[in-house]
Amino acid sequence: MTTPRSKSPKPQNSFRKDDSKDETTFWDKIGTLGRKKRIKEVQEVQEEGKYAIDSPGNPAMADVPPEEYTLEENEERTMVEPKSYSDPKLQELMNILIDWVNDVLADHRIIVKNLEQDLYDGQVLQKLYEKLTREKLDVPEVTQSEEGQKQKLYVVLGSVNNILGLTGNRLSQQKWSVESVHSKNLVAILHLLVSLARHFRAPIRLPENVTVNVVIVQKRDGVLKNRTVIEEITSRYDDLGMRCERDAFDTLFDHAPDKLEVVKKSLVTFVNKHLNKINMEVKDLDTQFHDGVYLTLLMGLLEGFFVPLYSFNLSPQNFEQKVHNVNVAFDLMQEIGLAAPKARPEDIVNLDLKSTLRVLYNLFTKYKNLY
């Protein structure tokens, strides 16, 4: 056996000491490998725990057996079945809605990444409502307490329901509540955003016939019972803005803004030729038709009849009165033989310029030679 050559003479016991040192180093290495393996195992467990906490929607929660829930008698809790999260159509819908919300709130530098985690406290929903309606809500900007968050949600969702017409007898049609949104109920949040997107004619195409399996757990007679139901989030849409074919106005808006201005000037000239007869004048098509007053009066002038003042609101004060006025104008159009407008009254009230131009252009086509 060849021993390492020493740089200086050493006693014999020094050789044995060096040999034992080599043996100690070897076992130290074995111990180090063991420690590294244990550290890796700990890191893997930590990563699994972090994923369980941070994973979107916490689908793993659905694996908790019903007996783990603490419910009051007749109380219900719902959750999305884990396999529904992997549905491509549901994922597509969620991504489209997230992108839409982020586009609307781009000026506020708000970035939504997860619908359940980012919308439950009412902050984002407040900003979304204010941006879409151009109305300021009287609520605190930041609320940290659970009570404060629910109070904000109460105001925001109440305003949303008014805009959507979910008041009085129709209130039962709402598919969300303060409790469901604050508890991060994905189904309730999806229903809310889909309704807002459709109402305000969001420039998005929602995937049709999106459904999710919802597990409902209820306590009855002291026993927890669960059942699974299929919840429809979107259906088939045939109204303008959701499944419409592109027309000339889409092309003008997208590719020929200069020609669009020419069309607007022609329509302003057309409507003023008739409104001037009653000393009224339009200067801005973008805003002056949204309350339905000019549109209703224009229909009477074009057909030569007087529209009773009691049939519409000459000075509308709220959204509902404006929608009523536009409905009156639309009804008059159908009574004189025009096709029912594809736009909804809410589109006109919400200052959707394309819808306004389409309605006025139909009138221009029929009455352009009328003096």
Side-chain angles (χ1 to χ4, degrees):
M1 178 177 175
T2 303
T3 59
R5 187 175 179 180
S6 301
K7 292 184 180 180
S8 59
K10 291 186 178 180
Q12 185 66 25
N13 60 349
S14 296
F15 174 77
R16 293 193 183 97
K17 183 177 180 180
D18 289 341
D19 188 52
S20 64
K21 181 178 180 181
D22 288 341
E23 291 180 358
T24 303
T25 302
F26 172 78
W27 291 111
D28 284 345
K29 289 180 180 179
I30 295 297
T32 300
L33 291 175
R35 285 195 299 271
K36 287 183 177 180
K37 183 177 180 181
R38 289 194 297 272
I39 291 172
K40 184 178 180 181
E41 291 174 350
V42 170
Q43 289 174 339
E44 290 176 350
V45 172
Q46 288 175 336
E47 288 298 319
E48 291 177 1
K50 185 177 184 299
Y51 177 79
I53 294 172
D54 296 339
S55 57
N58 292 332
M61 291 178 61
D63 293 332
V64 179
E67 59 266 24
E68 293 297 324
Y69 289 104
T70 303
L71 302 180
E72 301 294 332
E73 185 67 22
N74 294 321
E75 183 183 355
E76 283 188 354
R77 291 188 188 176
T78 63
M79 69 180 68
V80 176
E81 215 174 43
K83 64 180 181 182
S84 289
Y85 280 93
S86 59
D87 183 352
K89 294 182 70 173
L90 177 61
Q91 290 292 332
E92 180 187 5
L93 175 63
M94 293 170 65
N95 290 333
I96 287 174
L97 291 174
I98 287 174
D99 290 342
W100 172 60
V101 172
N102 286 334
D103 286 343
V104 173
L105 300 181
D107 293 342
H108 294 278
R109 297 184 179 181
I110 293 176
I111 299 178
V112 172
K113 296 182 179 180
N114 182 284
L115 294 179
E116 299 114 311
Q117 300 296 331
D118 296 339
L119 272 65
Y120 79 96
D121 61 358
Q123 180 73 18
V124 173
L125 289 175
Q126 173 204 343
K127 295 300 182 183
L128 182 64
Y129 174 88
E130 292 177 342
K131 186 70 174 182
L132 293 173
T133 63
R134 300 177 178 86
E135 296 179 5
K136 184 72 174 176
L137 292 176
D138 185 18
V139 293
E141 284 297 320
V142 180
T143 52
Q144 298 292 340
S145 67
E146 179 178 337
E147 182 180 356
Q149 292 170 353
K150 289 185 176 180
Q151 182 60 36
K152 172 179 280 192
L153 279 173
Y154 178 81
V155 175
V156 173
L157 295 183
S159 301
V160 168
N161 290 341
N162 287 333
I163 288 293
L164 298 178
L166 298 176
T167 57
N169 294 332
R170 294 191 61 198
L171 189 59
S172 60
Q173 298 179 19
Q174 71 170 358
K175 298 181 179 181
W176 51 84
S177 65
V178 171
E179 288 296 331
S180 61
V181 173
H182 192 266
S183 63
K184 306 177 184 180
N185 185 304
L186 177 63
V187 173
I189 294 172
L190 288 176
H191 277 306
L192 175 60
L193 292 179
V194 168
S195 296
L196 286 172
R198 295 196 62 218
H199 180 83
F200 287 100
R201 273 300 185 271
I204 57 178
R205 179 179 290 275
L206 299 176
E208 297 179 343
N209 300 321
V210 177
T211 62
V212 295
N213 292 335
V214 178
V215 179
I216 302 176
V217 181
Q218 183 182 36
K219 187 175 184 178
R220 287 184 293 178
D221 299 327
V223 179
L224 292 176
K225 299 182 179 181
N226 66 85
R227 67 185 189 278
T228 301
V229 299
I230 298 176
E231 181 76 13
E232 182 183 71
I233 306 297
T234 66
S235 57
R236 292 186 61 83
Y237 302 122
D238 56 7
D239 53 324
L240 192 66
M242 305 307 294
R243 297 186 64 225
C244 63
E245 295 182 358
R246 291 176 59 84
D247 61 9
F249 283 102
D250 291 303
T251 304
L252 287 175
F253 271 82
D254 294 343
H255 305 293
D258 53 334
K259 294 182 179 179
L260 176 63
E261 291 302 317
V262 174
V263 172
K264 291 171 67 175
K265 289 180 180 178
S266 299
L267 292 176
V268 168
T269 301
F270 164 71
V271 298
N272 281 335
K273 179 173 65 174
H274 300 283
L275 289 176
N276 287 163
K277 299 173 185 177
I278 55 175
N279 298 319
M280 291 186 173
E281 184 178 10
V282 169
K283 296 182 179 180
D284 185 8
L285 289 180
D286 296 40
T287 60
Q288 288 186 269
F289 278 91
H290 84 288
D291 62 6
V293 175
Y294 281 165
L295 193 59
T296 301
L297 294 174
L298 181 62
M299 289 308 305
L301 291 167
L302 292 174
E303 280 295 321
F305 57 75
F306 178 74
V307 182
L309 296 181
Y310 64 80
S311 65
F312 68 104
N313 300 285
L314 196 58
S315 300
Q317 300 299 314
N318 54 46
F319 183 85
E320 289 75 17
Q321 291 179 350
K322 295 174 185 178
V323 170
H324 171 77
N325 285 353
V326 179
N327 265 319
V328 170
F330 281 11
D331 289 342
L332 292 175
M333 293 177 192
Q334 294 181 69
E335 287 181 10
I336 63 176
L338 288 172
K342 292 183 178 180
R344 301 177 306 167
E346 292 85 354
D347 300 331
I348 307 298
V349 177
N350 287 325
L351 301 174
D352 183 74
L353 183 57
K354 284 185 186 178
S355 296
T356 302
L357 293 179
R358 288 181 177 112
V359 171
L360 293 177
Y361 187 76
N362 286 340
L363 297 178
F364 172 79
T365 302
K366 181 176 177 62
Y367 297 103
K368 60 184 177 182
N369 297 321
L370 179 66
Y371 293 95

